[in-house]
Amino acid sequence: MAAPGDTNASGGVASAEQQTILIRGGTVFDGSGQRPGIQADVLVRDGVIAQVGLDLQAPGGATVIDAAGKWVTPGFIDLHTHYDAEIEIAPALTESVRHGVTTVLVGSCGLSFAMGTPEDLADQFCRVEGVPREAVLPLLEKVKDWEDPAGYLRHLDGLPLGPNVTAMFGHSAVRAAVMGLGRSVDSSAKATDRELDQMRGHLDDALDAGYLGMSFNTLPWDKLDGDRYRSQATPSVYATWKEYRHLAARLRERDRVFQMVPDLQGRWNIPVIAWMSTGVRRKRLRTMVISMIDSRAMRGTHKFAGKMADLVNDRFNADFRWQALPQPFELWVDGLEVPVMEEMGAGTAALHETDPERRKALLRDPAFREKFRKQWSNPLAPKAWHRDLREPRIIDCPDESLVGRTFDDVARERGIDPLDCFLDLQAEFGDDLRWYTVVGNERRESLEYVVTHPSVLMGFSDAGAHLRNMAYYDFPLHLLKLVLAAEGEGRQVMTRERAVHRLTGEIADFLGIDAGHLEVGRRADVAIVDPGTLDSRLDEMTEDDMVGMPGLRRLVRRHDECVTTVVIGGRLAWHDGAYAEGFGDQKGYGQVLRARSGAAA
């Protein structure tokens, strides 16, 4: 069965297996950022872009798509996902594809399924990324047929992938595999020289297999799941700088990517990471760091981040990039189930309790509440979330009279302190209390600073993770929306071709993968966007059942008129609001993209 609306040159319905597609009359952006969009036809044949030009003839049996009034772009790239678990359940990764994303990167934040036991991998991944361990552990026990990094990529090769998939090698995974999970999260245990050499050997194997580089994490509020080492930080956090440098040296030597999660609480180590990227009397290190944001908790940090990147890149020959989102950073929270609560030891203590009644009892305990208050209110403690209870709004609760109100509103009505009110409601309703907050990027001028900064790589979606907390699967469309909104005001944030470049070719070229460009002879990964739909409808949030995780509903944004067509590997994947028959079940769409040797920084 074909996707609805597809017709061949003679007016019949085209097959989903059709390998020849003519996209007619759209405004074509090539992903380079150097040339404005041009009105042209695009012919796709045998999986590649065969021709770009005017009035191309449709070959016999071709699927013809009318793109008049629409933008034809390279497929978008999502450089920061945690699809590592979802790809095993539903490899079509449909939530990204329907928004024009044709390439995703897994293995972020030191977390990777590249090596390790199923239990170790589930314990590292699930609590940090807000994915149910009771679903992930049995899944890994069932599907894991690999033992090493190369074997993992071969495993992915065998899946009926929707988008293309490329990977980082996770430091936590290899550290736990070499040292044992217990030693890897023991602050008194340091990796021996022999263990460091073993880690570097596994890294070499991963780079030989085509991994883009290695991801690391120094953020202490990313915690382990499970019962064995619950609430310990993930293994990468416990490494010394000697260990980071030991592995980074190999990445520098081989011109691969160093991805780091800094300590977002203290932020003290960000300058150290930036200096590691520098190339004074040595090769520079391709470095990407999470993330540039106009934070409500610490206003002005985005400009400090920008100036620091300018300094090291311009004066010290660094290649230092921030990941960033082109939209407000919003969180939806069930009870306390959100990573920012782990900023405080008291928050971690509450989340350590998996039994709802025991957690509620802890939240009522006077001694615990006093500890929570001291940490919450400490003026010297840096924080990623603002903790201003005048802003978060209750959006669902068994007591419907509370819905639509802030915690401060409820506290004033009850005549109590706002934090006491917050803890009271948590203790009373647990995860049935759902609330919403904005972490940052809500100021238009500051957001425009972020998205135009030359050190920024566009993307920090965390797709496949934090399923109840956020939904940035459609982030590329928000950048395009921002650009068009400014044009409507008579301003220019950036050119349209530059916006497309930020979402495609710029990312691909930095990562060193064959993607992101719409050129004759290149693989045909294409998105067709209707610019007339880039409006406030993109902001509407809903929930949908999570495939393979019964009872879990994840947040999604759906505006299916916006991306009208997606082509992956030369095949129609999505068209006019429907997926092609066999998409997600048949191979032949996405593939594993391995690092190009000698990729330019």
Side-chain angles (χ1 to χ4, degrees):
M1 184 182 77
D6 295 343
T7 59
N8 61 29
S10 61
V13 176
S15 165
E17 297 296 329
Q18 185 69 52
Q19 295 296 309
T20 302
I21 303 167
L22 180 62
I23 302 169
R24 192 181 292 286
T27 300
V28 179
F29 295 89
D30 64 9
S32 71
Q34 300 301 309
R35 293 174 287 278
I38 59 170
Q39 186 168 347
D41 303 336
V42 177
L43 180 64
V44 174
R45 186 181 320 180
D46 297 329
V48 302
I49 305 296
Q51 286 181 271
V52 178
L54 290 172
D55 300 322
L56 300 181
Q57 294 298 308
T63 296
V64 178
I65 297 173
D66 181 5
K70 300 180 177 67
W71 296 352
V72 181
T73 77
F76 304 131
I77 300 171
D78 190 339
L79 59 70
H80 189 118
T81 85
H82 291 284
Y83 271 136
D84 312 61
E86 186 174 338
I87 202 170
E88 304 293 340
I89 301 170
L93 304 180
T94 55
E95 204 57 44
S96 285
V97 170
R98 74 195 307 150
H99 296 116
V101 173
T102 60
T103 300
V104 302
L105 185 152
V106 299
S108 300
C109 304
L111 304 172
S112 167
F113 287 174
M115 61 188 307
T117 68
E119 188 176 18
D120 284 358
L121 296 178
D123 285 358
Q124 292 171 55
F125 184 81
C126 292
R127 179 168 168 181
V128 173
E129 302 306 335
V131 180
R133 184 177 183 272
E134 59 270 22
V136 173
L137 178 55
L139 173 69
L140 283 171
E141 291 173 335
K142 178 181 178 181
V143 304
K144 189 173 182 298
D145 58 2
W146 64 91
E147 297 298 331
D148 56 26
Y152 178 57
L153 293 191
R154 289 194 297 271
H155 168 80
L156 294 180
D157 280 329
L159 298 179
L161 299 174
N164 304 303
V165 176
T166 192
M168 300 290 287
F169 187 44
H171 180 224
S172 282
V174 67
R175 190 170 207 266
V178 168
M179 298 178 65
L181 183 58
R183 283 192 68 240
S184 76
V185 296
D186 181 348
S187 59
S188 66
K190 307 301 179 187
T192 65
D193 289 344
R194 183 170 179 270
E195 288 169 334
L196 290 176
D197 288 341
Q198 285 181 304
M199 289 184 217
R200 190 161 65 176
H202 288 304
L203 173 58
D204 277 329
D205 291 343
L207 300 181
D208 290 342
Y211 287 73
L212 305 188
M214 195 169 197
S215 64
F216 299 80
N217 188 4
T218 63
L219 183 60
W221 39 272
D222 283 350
K223 305 295 187 182
L224 294 184
D225 209 330
D227 298 323
R228 298 172 301 161
Y229 307 103
R230 184 170 181 80
S231 298
Q232 295 292 101
T234 56
S236 188
V237 174
Y238 292 89
T240 63
W241 284 94
K242 173 185 175 182
E243 185 173 328
Y244 300 138
R245 289 193 299 270
H246 186 77
L247 297 168
R250 188 52 52 95
L251 297 172
R252 187 190 308 274
E253 177 184 326
R254 299 190 59 171
D255 191 23
R256 297 295 178 87
V257 178
F258 176 79
Q259 185 214 66
M260 176 63 89
V261 183
D263 183 348
L264 298 175
Q265 279 182 278
R267 297 173 173 86
W268 62 271
N269 63 7
I270 294 175
V272 178
I273 298 164
W275 185 254
M276 288 178 68
S277 180
T278 59
V280 178
R281 297 183 180 178
R282 59 182 180 181
K283 290 177 66 174
R284 60 184 182 174
L285 176 64
R286 272 191 288 159
T287 301
M288 57 179 178
V289 176
I290 302 160
S291 82
M292 186 191 286
I293 182 174
D294 173 27
S295 170
R296 294 182 67 141
M298 299 183 71
R299 291 298 195 193
T301 52
H302 63 297
K303 291 193 174 180
F304 172 82
K307 290 176 181 178
M308 185 196 68
D310 289 340
L311 175 66
V312 295
N313 289 335
D314 295 344
R315 299 291 184 86
F316 297 99
N317 192 33
D319 194 3
F320 180 89
R321 310 293 183 97
W322 293 101
Q323 297 178 2
L325 278 174
Q327 62 202 101
F329 195 97
E330 305 163 291
L331 291 175
W332 286 256
V333 187
D334 296 324
L336 296 174
E337 295 289 342
V338 67
V340 295
M341 284 297 157
E342 307 262 25
E343 290 184 302
M344 305 176 295
T348 294
L351 291 171
H352 182 83
E353 295 290 352
T354 57
D355 179 79
E357 295 308 314
R358 291 184 62 178
R359 183 181 294 181
K360 289 178 180 181
L362 180 66
L363 292 169
R364 293 186 178 100
D365 180 75
F368 172 82
R369 289 170 75 112
E370 182 60 26
K371 178 181 178 182
F372 194 100
R373 177 180 296 280
K374 286 182 179 179
Q375 294 176 6
W376 177 282
S377 306
N378 183 353
L380 300 179
K383 51 187 179 288
W385 181 52
H386 54 77
R387 304 179 196 171
D388 180 355
L389 293 174
R390 294 171 297 179
E391 185 269 338
R393 190 167 300 276
I394 299 165
I395 57 175
D396 195 17
C397 182
D399 182 349
E400 294 183 1
S401 69
L402 303 181
V403 174
R405 306 170 69 187
T406 70
F407 291 104
D408 186 71
D409 291 337
V410 178
R412 283 189 284 108
E413 179 184 89
R414 296 183 176 186
I416 61 175
D417 177 80
L419 182 56
D420 284 330
C421 180
F422 178 78
L423 293 173
D424 287 347
L425 295 178
Q426 297 289 348
E428 183 175 359
F429 299 113
D431 288 354
D432 291 330
L433 175 71
R434 188 156 173 77
W435 49 283
Y436 163 86
T437 185
V438 178
V439 176
N441 277 1
E442 82 286 3
R443 301 188 302 178
R444 176 81 170 274
E445 182 179 352
S446 295
L447 180 57
E448 290 177 356
Y449 174 91
V450 170
V451 302
T452 58
H453 197 279
S455 76
V456 161
L457 289 172
M458 198 55 56
F460 176 43
S461 78
D462 264 0
H466 309 295
L467 303 174
R468 295 285 297 159
N469 295 141
M470 58 195 196
Y472 299 119
Y473 303 92
D474 63 342
F475 75 90
L477 305 178
H478 288 265
L479 179 63
L480 302 180
K481 173 190 168 189
L482 188 69
V483 168
L484 286 188
E487 288 182 9
E489 298 166 357
R491 302 184 298 113
Q492 185 180 80
V493 171
M494 66 179 76
T495 64
R496 296 176 179 186
E497 60 268 24
R498 172 61 173 149
V500 172
H501 177 235
R502 299 231 81 176
L503 300 166
T504 57
E506 182 176 43
I507 299 170
D509 295 345
F510 177 83
L511 295 178
I513 55 175
D514 183 17
H517 294 273
L518 199 162
E519 299 173 359
V520 172
R522 302 285 288 261
R523 190 183 53 258
D525 299 326
V526 181
I528 303 179
V529 176
D530 182 351
T533 66
L534 295 168
D535 54 35
S536 61
R537 287 172 289 179
L538 285 176
D539 301 326
E540 296 174 4
M541 187 71 72
T542 187
E543 296 182 6
D544 195 13
D545 292 334
M546 181 66 191
V547 176
M549 298 183 186
L552 179 64
R553 291 179 62 80
R554 71 167 163 187
L555 288 176
V556 294
R557 284 186 167 101
R558 300 266 175 88
H559 183 15
D560 289 340
E561 298 85 2
C562 189
V563 177
T564 61
T565 304
V566 179
V567 175
I568 303 176
R571 298 178 65 183
L572 277 173
W574 166 265
H575 184 62
D576 283 354
Y579 298 102
E581 184 177 0
F583 181 68
D585 298 319
Q586 300 174 2
K587 295 184 65 177
Y589 292 93
Q591 59 185 276
V592 176
L593 300 184
R594 290 163 168 84
R596 294 196 308 255
S597 59

